Amino acid sequence: MTGILDSVNQRTQLVGQNRLELLTFRLNRRQRYGINVFKVKEVLQCPQLTSMPNLHPLIKGVAHIRGQTISVIDMSLATGGRPITDLTNCFIIISEFNRSIQGFLVSSVERIINMNWESILPPPQGAGRSNYLTAVTEIDGELVEILDVEKILDEISPVNTNITGTVLEELVENGPAVRRVLVADDSTVARKQVQRAIEAIGCECVLVKDGKEAITKLREMASQGSIYEQLALIISDIEMPEMDGYTLTAEIRNDPKLKDLHVILHTSLSGVFNQAMVERVGANAFIPKFNPDELGRAVKGAMPEKVIE
């Protein structure tokens, strides 16, 4: 266990070719879960938590860690299970999502596993809209669930997806001829957030759940005519099952019919992303989630004034 806790910070800099490292953990149940190490800042034994008035029911309390006050979310309760009660033997995963830092209370932390995104699969059909999964995988013959943390955070503190009035007026004026945007994200909540912001400036969204579905859709569109007459740009998450955003961008740049598409990588990996990797795969921009004004301006600025011949 000590080895895991000591090594997490060192391994958050991993950026590979369609690869990731999962930190596996368990809640009250026997089910195993995983979180991308890229989003983990630190793992530590649960410190003393302070209860405060008017906390959200899913927040166990706040912890004072390295000069910061961090809300600690009971991940078992947040995903529909029993609350975690024995805090003396529990752990907190300190993570950074969507420009904010929070702690996830878990029953136990296991190990870090290096995997290929192709081994990370979308949730099975029939899982229902109420589940908290973005993906599943198999490790040592056991199913590992990857949680939709953005959905959990949105239930605790909903993100404002409205573009402010003055910015909206600025963006809607003199719109380009091609207004369709392809959005690739494995989180249902994140897709809806982006869709609302993009549609507010008069654009149409084509929604897909991962990079593999995105590249298939793009090639299908390109087979029917110039992609630039059909699509203005692409907004893609980085973390997605089967094919991540880096690999999707590289596939686009290597395809003669798609190579000039504008690609914005839009991800909750704020503060820890590898700018060199973003540039190496050929993405045009990187935007941490989620600021609707910033996203709206980036989309408007990227849209071509005329269609590429």
Side-chain angles (χ1 to χ4, degrees), residues 12 14 29 39 53 57 135 139 163 173 179 191 194 197 203 208 213 215 225 241 249 251 282 285 308:
T12 55
L14 174 75
R29 304 177 291 274
K39 291 181 176 177
I139 298 173
I163 297 177
E173 290 180 0
R179 288 177 170 268
R191 287 197 303 272
V194 174
C203 296
V208 295
E213 186 177 346
I215 196 67
T249 305
E251 289 285 321
I308 297 175

Short mmCIF file of all heavy atoms in Angstrom, two decimals, residues 12 14 29 39 53 57 135 139 163 173 179 191 194 197 203 208 213 215 225 241 249 251 282 285 308:
data_model
loop_
_atom_site.label_atom_id
_atom_site.label_comp_id
_atom_site.label_asym_id
_atom_site.label_seq_id
_atom_site.Cartn_x
_atom_site.Cartn_y
_atom_site.Cartn_z
N THR A 12 1.49 10.79 -12.47
CA THR A 12 0.42 11.58 -13.08
C THR A 12 0.86 12.23 -14.39
O THR A 12 0.05 12.81 -15.10
CB THR A 12 -0.07 12.68 -12.13
OG1 THR A 12 1.04 13.47 -11.72
CG2 THR A 12 -0.76 12.09 -10.92
N LEU A 14 2.02 10.65 -16.97
CA LEU A 14 1.96 9.70 -18.08
C LEU A 14 1.06 10.20 -19.19
O LEU A 14 -0.08 10.52 -18.99
CB LEU A 14 1.43 8.35 -17.59
CG LEU A 14 1.21 7.32 -18.72
CD1 LEU A 14 2.54 6.76 -19.20
CD2 LEU A 14 0.31 6.19 -18.27
N ARG A 29 -18.93 -1.99 -1.28
CA ARG A 29 -19.24 -3.23 -1.98
C ARG A 29 -17.96 -3.90 -2.46
O ARG A 29 -16.89 -3.31 -2.45
CB ARG A 29 -20.17 -2.93 -3.17
CG ARG A 29 -21.45 -2.21 -2.74
CD ARG A 29 -22.33 -1.85 -3.94
NE ARG A 29 -21.74 -0.82 -4.78
CZ ARG A 29 -21.88 0.47 -4.58
NH1 ARG A 29 -22.56 0.91 -3.53
NH2 ARG A 29 -21.34 1.35 -5.39
N LYS A 39 -5.76 12.16 -13.25
CA LYS A 39 -6.61 13.09 -12.51
C LYS A 39 -6.33 13.06 -11.00
O LYS A 39 -6.96 13.77 -10.23
CB LYS A 39 -8.07 12.75 -12.76
CG LYS A 39 -8.50 13.06 -14.20
CD LYS A 39 -9.96 12.75 -14.42
CE LYS A 39 -10.37 13.16 -15.83
NZ LYS A 39 -11.76 12.82 -16.14
N PRO A 53 -22.24 23.25 8.50
CA PRO A 53 -23.66 23.37 8.22
C PRO A 53 -23.93 23.51 6.73
O PRO A 53 -23.12 24.05 5.97
CB PRO A 53 -24.06 24.65 8.97
CG PRO A 53 -22.79 25.39 9.19
CD PRO A 53 -21.72 24.37 9.30
N PRO A 57 -25.63 16.50 1.02
CA PRO A 57 -25.68 15.18 1.67
C PRO A 57 -24.59 14.21 1.23
O PRO A 57 -24.23 13.30 1.98
CB PRO A 57 -27.07 14.65 1.28
CG PRO A 57 -27.88 15.87 1.00
CD PRO A 57 -26.93 16.88 0.43
N ALA A 135 -17.33 3.89 -18.43
CA ALA A 135 -16.66 2.80 -19.12
C ALA A 135 -16.46 1.63 -18.16
O ALA A 135 -16.63 1.76 -16.94
CB ALA A 135 -15.30 3.26 -19.66
N ILE A 139 -9.90 -6.65 -15.40
CA ILE A 139 -8.55 -6.80 -14.85
C ILE A 139 -8.52 -8.05 -13.99
O ILE A 139 -9.36 -8.21 -13.09
CB ILE A 139 -8.15 -5.57 -14.00
CG1 ILE A 139 -8.15 -4.31 -14.87
CG2 ILE A 139 -6.79 -5.77 -13.36
CD1 ILE A 139 -7.94 -3.03 -14.09
N ILE A 163 -24.00 30.81 -21.63
CA ILE A 163 -23.07 31.85 -22.05
C ILE A 163 -23.65 33.19 -21.63
O ILE A 163 -24.84 33.44 -21.79
CB ILE A 163 -22.85 31.80 -23.57
CG1 ILE A 163 -22.21 30.46 -23.97
CG2 ILE A 163 -21.99 32.96 -24.05
CD1 ILE A 163 -22.03 30.27 -25.46
N GLU A 173 -23.47 37.23 -33.72
CA GLU A 173 -23.36 38.11 -34.89
C GLU A 173 -22.42 37.52 -35.95
O GLU A 173 -21.39 36.94 -35.64
CB GLU A 173 -22.82 39.48 -34.47
CG GLU A 173 -23.80 40.30 -33.66
CD GLU A 173 -23.22 41.64 -33.27
OE1 GLU A 173 -22.07 41.91 -33.66
OE2 GLU A 173 -23.92 42.40 -32.58
N ARG A 179 -21.99 25.53 -39.63
CA ARG A 179 -22.22 25.70 -38.20
C ARG A 179 -22.28 24.38 -37.44
O ARG A 179 -22.60 24.36 -36.26
CB ARG A 179 -23.55 26.45 -37.98
CG ARG A 179 -23.50 27.92 -38.35
CD ARG A 179 -24.86 28.56 -38.16
NE ARG A 179 -24.79 30.01 -38.29
CZ ARG A 179 -24.61 30.85 -37.26
NH1 ARG A 179 -24.47 30.35 -36.05
NH2 ARG A 179 -24.57 32.14 -37.44
N ARG A 191 -21.36 15.95 -22.42
CA ARG A 191 -21.91 16.16 -23.78
C ARG A 191 -23.05 17.17 -23.74
O ARG A 191 -23.14 18.05 -24.60
CB ARG A 191 -22.40 14.84 -24.39
CG ARG A 191 -21.30 13.90 -24.81
CD ARG A 191 -21.82 12.84 -25.77
NE ARG A 191 -22.91 12.05 -25.25
CZ ARG A 191 -22.77 10.94 -24.52
NH1 ARG A 191 -21.55 10.52 -24.21
NH2 ARG A 191 -23.81 10.25 -24.09
N VAL A 194 -21.70 20.78 -23.19
CA VAL A 194 -21.13 21.35 -24.42
C VAL A 194 -22.23 21.65 -25.42
O VAL A 194 -22.24 22.72 -26.05
CB VAL A 194 -20.10 20.38 -25.03
CG1 VAL A 194 -19.61 20.91 -26.37
CG2 VAL A 194 -18.92 20.18 -24.08
N ALA A 197 -24.08 24.91 -24.65
CA ALA A 197 -23.28 26.11 -24.94
C ALA A 197 -23.15 26.35 -26.44
O ALA A 197 -23.26 27.49 -26.91
CB ALA A 197 -21.90 25.97 -24.30
N CYS A 203 -25.20 27.02 -33.31
CA CYS A 203 -24.56 25.90 -34.00
C CYS A 203 -25.31 24.60 -33.72
O CYS A 203 -26.01 24.47 -32.73
CB CYS A 203 -23.11 25.75 -33.55
SG CYS A 203 -22.08 27.17 -33.96
N VAL A 208 -21.14 12.17 -30.25
CA VAL A 208 -20.64 10.80 -30.23
C VAL A 208 -20.02 10.53 -28.87
O VAL A 208 -19.64 11.45 -28.15
CB VAL A 208 -19.62 10.53 -31.36
CG1 VAL A 208 -20.28 10.65 -32.73
CG2 VAL A 208 -18.44 11.48 -31.26
N GLU A 213 -15.99 6.05 -32.19
CA GLU A 213 -17.25 6.42 -32.84
C GLU A 213 -17.08 7.72 -33.64
O GLU A 213 -17.66 7.89 -34.72
CB GLU A 213 -18.36 6.59 -31.80
CG GLU A 213 -19.74 6.84 -32.39
CD GLU A 213 -20.83 6.94 -31.34
OE1 GLU A 213 -20.60 6.56 -30.17
OE2 GLU A 213 -21.94 7.40 -31.71
N ILE A 215 -14.24 8.90 -35.17
CA ILE A 215 -13.51 8.73 -36.43
C ILE A 215 -14.34 7.96 -37.44
O ILE A 215 -14.29 8.23 -38.65
CB ILE A 215 -12.13 8.04 -36.18
CG1 ILE A 215 -11.22 8.21 -37.40
CG2 ILE A 215 -12.29 6.58 -35.82
CD1 ILE A 215 -10.78 9.62 -37.65
N GLY A 225 -19.01 13.41 -49.31
CA GLY A 225 -18.66 14.72 -49.86
C GLY A 225 -17.64 15.40 -48.98
O GLY A 225 -17.20 14.86 -47.96
N PRO A 241 -13.23 5.76 -23.75
CA PRO A 241 -12.98 4.34 -23.98
C PRO A 241 -12.69 4.06 -25.45
O PRO A 241 -13.11 4.79 -26.33
CB PRO A 241 -14.29 3.67 -23.54
CG PRO A 241 -15.32 4.75 -23.59
CD PRO A 241 -14.60 6.02 -23.27
N THR A 249 -7.19 12.66 -32.60
CA THR A 249 -6.58 13.79 -33.31
C THR A 249 -5.52 13.31 -34.30
O THR A 249 -5.45 13.78 -35.44
CB THR A 249 -5.95 14.77 -32.31
OG1 THR A 249 -6.94 15.18 -31.36
CG2 THR A 249 -5.41 16.00 -33.01
N GLU A 251 -5.37 10.39 -35.75
CA GLU A 251 -6.07 9.73 -36.86
C GLU A 251 -6.61 10.76 -37.85
O GLU A 251 -6.55 10.56 -39.07
CB GLU A 251 -7.22 8.88 -36.32
CG GLU A 251 -6.79 7.63 -35.57
CD GLU A 251 -6.31 6.53 -36.51
OE1 GLU A 251 -6.91 6.36 -37.59
OE2 GLU A 251 -5.32 5.86 -36.17
N GLY A 282 -1.19 17.31 -33.00
CA GLY A 282 -1.75 18.23 -33.99
C GLY A 282 -3.06 18.88 -33.61
O GLY A 282 -3.76 19.42 -34.49
N ALA A 285 -6.14 23.45 -30.25
CA ALA A 285 -6.30 24.16 -28.99
C ALA A 285 -6.64 23.18 -27.88
O ALA A 285 -7.13 22.08 -28.12
CB ALA A 285 -7.39 25.23 -29.11
N ILE A 308 -13.30 25.36 -47.00
CA ILE A 308 -12.04 24.98 -47.66
C ILE A 308 -12.34 24.29 -48.98
O ILE A 308 -13.19 23.40 -49.06
CB ILE A 308 -11.23 24.04 -46.75
CG1 ILE A 308 -10.85 24.76 -45.47
CG2 ILE A 308 -9.99 23.51 -47.46
CD1 ILE A 308 -10.14 23.89 -44.45
#
